[in-house]
Amino acid sequence: MERVGRHLILELWGCNAEHINSIPVIERAITETIAACDATLLDLRVYPFTPIGVTGVAILAESHVMIHTWPEHGYAAVDVFTCGQHTDPSKAVPVLRKYFQPERVQVMEMNRGIIIDEKARGDVGGVYAGVC
Amino acid sequence: MERVGRHLILELWGCNAEHINSIPVIERAITETIAACDATLLDLRVYPFTPIGVTGVAILAESHVMIHTWPEHGYAAVDVFTCGQHTDPSKAVPVLRKYFQPERVQVMEMNRGIIIDEKARGDVGGVYAGVC
């Protein structure tokens, strides 16, 4: 079963509120995540919100990394979507742990773009969910 | 059960290959999606890939819309993540159908940032998957 890419969906709770409200920390976390996953950065942008909260997005040659943070909840929503055999989005997890210091991380991995034959039309994407 | 946002994950197959390789079409699709969902655009960027394929991203006041396309497979991977009671990411579906003309659309909706009490720690995000 072929797939176009792997999409990791991460829920980070109990994060360091100062870190997940910091533009430089978000930038470093994204940059290091991309390197860890062996992906190629095309564009990185970070948007501060008022009064708090940050959105960071990296466009990759292999899809994207997206981070939205709610420091008031100690919460960060992270997506790491990569294509290609050379990339491994699961390598994002220790990097995000280092920068955001979450008490709890929930991970779901989806296969995106599953290429199936006609007989199997109706299948939905493969999903694996876990708490770590 | 409170949640921070709703994340729609869409798999579009059998799309019009010309449309999903067109920067103006992707821009219009994203712009109209945002209006349909009643969200607020902060930044819109579209990146062409070589030889084909497009990535389009909209940063919203309420999170994001992301589109990656593989015209060679007739496939588009779309994420619509919105926060706030006023937004409805499911309104993206008819807009994407109009612009990309998919033969088949798979939809998964995830609740992101479910705010749970201590007793319920260990729950993972709510997921609804369907084919339409």
Side-chain angles (χ1 to χ4, degrees), chain B residues 58-129:
Chain B
I59 302 299
L60 310 178
E62 302 89 353
S63 295
H64 74 269
V65 175
M66 180 74 77
I67 297 178
H68 302 289
T69 72
W70 283 262
E72 68 274 32
H73 295 305
Y75 169 65
V78 181
D79 291 72
V80 183
F81 182 172
T82 65
C83 317
Q85 294 299 320
H86 64 290
T87 58
D88 181 359
S90 72
K91 296 286 172 60
V93 179
V95 178
L96 296 167
R97 281 190 188 280
K98 180 175 87 170
Y99 282 99
F100 299 162
Q101 302 170 348
E103 291 171 3
R104 189 162 49 104
V105 179
Q106 300 169 331
V107 185
M108 174 175 280
E109 179 173 330
M110 302 185 66
N111 290 321
R112 298 294 297 263
I114 293 178
I115 296 165
I116 49 180
D117 62 28
E118 285 303 302
K119 288 175 188 167
R121 285 174 79 104
D123 281 7
V124 291
V127 178
Y128 173 78

Side-chain angles (χ1 to χ4, degrees), chain A residues 8-80:
Chain A
L8 235 68
I9 294 168
L10 298 120
E11 302 272 278
L12 282 66
W13 290 99
C15 297
N16 180 314
E18 197 177 311
H19 288 201
I20 64 170
N21 200 41
S22 160
I23 290 177
V25 172
I26 303 278
E27 282 178 344
R28 285 201 297 274
I30 293 177
T31 304
E32 198 170 312
T33 291
I34 294 165
C37 298
D38 202 14
T40 304
L41 179 65
L42 299 181
D43 198 8
L44 170 59
R45 291 174 191 273
V46 181
Y47 306 79
F49 279 69
T50 303
I52 53 174
V54 175
T55 287
V57 57
I59 301 300
L60 310 177
E62 302 89 354
S63 295
H64 73 269
V65 175
M66 179 73 76
I67 297 178
H68 301 289
T69 74
W70 283 263
E72 68 275 32
H73 294 305
Y75 168 66
V78 182
D79 291 73
V80 182

